[in-house]
Amino acid sequence: MDRRAFLAGGLAGGAALALAGCSGTLPKVDAKVASFGRNATGTVHVWCRSATQAGLTAAVAGFNKANPNLQVELTPVPDAQYVTKLATAIRGGEPPDVVDIDDINSQLFIFREAFADLTDVVKGLDYFDEISPGHLRLLEYRDRYYGLPYLADNSQLFVNTELFEKAGLDVEESTKDLSTLLDAAKAIRKVGDDVYGWSISGNAAGIIGFVTQPHVWATGVDMMSGEVGSQKANITGNEALERMLEFYRQLWKDGVLSKATYSDAGTTWGADFRAGKVGIFPSSYGATVPAATKAMRAKMQTVLIPSWDGKRSFFDGGDNMCIPNGAPNPSGGWAFMQYANGLQQQQALPDGGYFPTRSDAATPAYRKKYPLAFGPLDAIDKGYAPQTLAYNLLNNQPSSPYFAMFRQAVFGSGTAAAMKTAQSEYQRILDQVQA
């Protein structure tokens, strides 16, 4: 399952609830000792997500070549099975040494004391201030850090500059907020009968959450409030959310989105944009750039996702690396984590369709090689993803309340009724998961 398929389909709904017995019963890792991560030998067992395996393979090969006495064995796990398999391994007392986990699932294990406290060694890194704060936040609990970010999968707006030019539009001026975006999308729709202003996979829960929530987050609010374990729904009365939903409803009503949007489940995500038939496309680097022709890439430009009032954000998706308590070779695991986060390895991540999680990776040489892969690095503090125990249940499932709300608001009866229903469903799921 690649990243496109993962976002299109989401994860198994009951996975979060399978962690109830995953408490801190295994021996805790001592990551304070001076020798931690040094002179380690043997084997490091690393689990990674199948969706992001391509981002890790080269790092493993490089590490093994450079460290003949400490070898990494990489095990990819299907995304839909990852949380359950990891919880089972931890409960069974046989966790891997390192888990490369979807960052939005990190809190599921941190909250239940399943991951090692790595605060001292993480804060001791000489590039700590360059690390993505959005990813770090998903590793934080009560002012302690339980892992290290590895790769970023960020959502941005990709624009076709040729279509903007034909429509007489300036990219920066026409992408400042939701109002200018709507006007730009309408203008581009007039360029040709087979040209559309905007594209989105309207029947893919994971994609919808990935590309639309930053419009809301940019204002500094989320769809939930409070600390992990006692969160409350924040749907009704959420002005930024309401304006975003109304924006998409208007795109649909005005015919700026193709009729295929309603049923598009994400299996061909980005094909219309790569074919030059769409002006504005909220997406990821991996779903947009690698498969595009050289000529099409030359027409692309990226901007961060704006809110109704002109602020910007992006989804801080991707992977965090963590060491489970009870890991047989945690020192070796930390050695590999440091290597994988080295500047050279980080700067190669766009080859696999992902971004670095270190802002200092955006050197002049990196910018020249990857001209569409440094926007989030230049504004790394604008990235966000919610700390919660319920993200997949709230957003990624076909039955999730965020997805149902979006569908009803955009294609159905309207925003007010959709938000009212989502408020109660959000709270029901939060109460269930936090019980």
Side-chain angles (χ1 to χ4, degrees), residues 40-42 59-72 335-336 339:
T41 60
V60 170
F63 181 86
N64 286 345
K65 184 177 180 180
N67 297 273
N69 295 323
L70 182 63
Q71 297 287 286
V72 170
F336 172 68
Y339 177 88

Side-chain angles (χ1 to χ4, degrees), residues 156-161 164 170-172 175 273 279 281 296-303 371-372:
Q156 302 179 85
L157 292 185
F158 287 80
V159 302
N160 183 322
T161 57
F164 266 71
D170 176 81
V171 171
E172 294 298 330
T175 60
F273 180 78
F281 178 48
M296 186 61 216
R297 289 197 297 269
K299 300 175 185 178
M300 294 182 190
Q301 185 175 330
T302 65
V303 295
L372 296 169

Side-chain angles (χ1 to χ4, degrees), residues 46-210:
V46 177
W47 285 11
C48 72
R49 297 193 293 140
S50 296
T52 53
Q53 181 181 357
L56 197 55
T57 303
V60 170
F63 181 86
N64 286 345
K65 184 177 180 180
N67 297 273
N69 295 323
L70 182 63
Q71 297 287 286
V72 170
E73 290 187 2
L74 185 64
T75 301
V77 178
D79 289 74
Q81 303 173 20
Y82 199 104
V83 169
T84 302
K85 280 185 174 291
L86 181 55
T88 300
I90 291 173
R91 286 200 305 268
E94 296 183 348
D97 298 301
V98 174
V99 292
D100 181 56
I101 188 171
D102 191 326
D103 60 0
I104 58 172
N105 287 330
S106 302
Q107 284 289 318
L108 291 173
F109 294 89
I110 293 170
F111 185 74
R112 292 173 173 87
E113 302 179 18
F115 287 163
D117 183 344
L118 302 179
T119 305
D120 292 349
V121 289
V122 169
K123 294 183 75 171
L125 295 168
D126 58 9
Y127 56 86
F128 176 75
D129 291 338
E130 309 293 339
I131 298 174
S132 164
H135 287 82
L136 273 176
R137 183 173 178 270
L138 297 182
L139 290 165
E140 186 178 0
Y141 184 64
R142 295 179 177 173
D143 299 321
R144 308 295 293 178
Y145 293 112
Y146 293 85
L148 185 63
Y150 171 55
L151 60 76
D153 193 20
N154 304 134
S155 53
Q156 302 179 85
L157 292 185
F158 287 80
V159 302
N160 183 322
T161 57
E162 182 178 70
L163 294 180
F164 266 71
E165 185 176 343
K166 287 182 178 180
L169 301 169
D170 176 81
V171 171
E172 294 298 330
E173 289 298 313
S174 301
T175 60
K176 293 190 300 184
D177 52 35
L178 296 185
S179 177
T180 57
L181 279 174
L182 182 60
D183 290 343
K186 290 179 180 179
I188 292 168
R189 180 70 180 97
K190 297 176 182 178
V191 169
D193 290 343
D194 61 343
V195 172
Y196 288 88
W198 199 280
S199 178
I200 190 171
S201 295
N203 198 29
I207 291 174
I208 292 296
F210 183 66

Side-chain angles (χ1 to χ4, degrees), residues 399-422:
S399 60
S400 64
Y402 186 87
F403 183 49
M405 173 181 64
F406 184 89
R407 295 275 297 177
Q408 182 182 359
V410 175
F411 307 122
S413 59
T415 302
M419 292 177 68
K420 182 178 180 181
T421 301

Side-chain angles (χ1 to χ4, degrees), residues 191-235:
V191 169
D193 290 343
D194 61 343
V195 172
Y196 288 88
W198 199 280
S199 178
I200 190 171
S201 295
N203 198 29
I207 291 174
I208 292 296
F210 183 66
V211 302
T212 66
Q213 290 181 105
H215 290 295
V216 181
W217 296 336
T219 67
V221 300
D222 199 343
M223 273 57 75
M224 66 195 86
S225 60
E227 296 184 357
V228 174
S230 58
Q231 291 177 320
K232 300 294 183 182
N234 181 35
I235 304 295

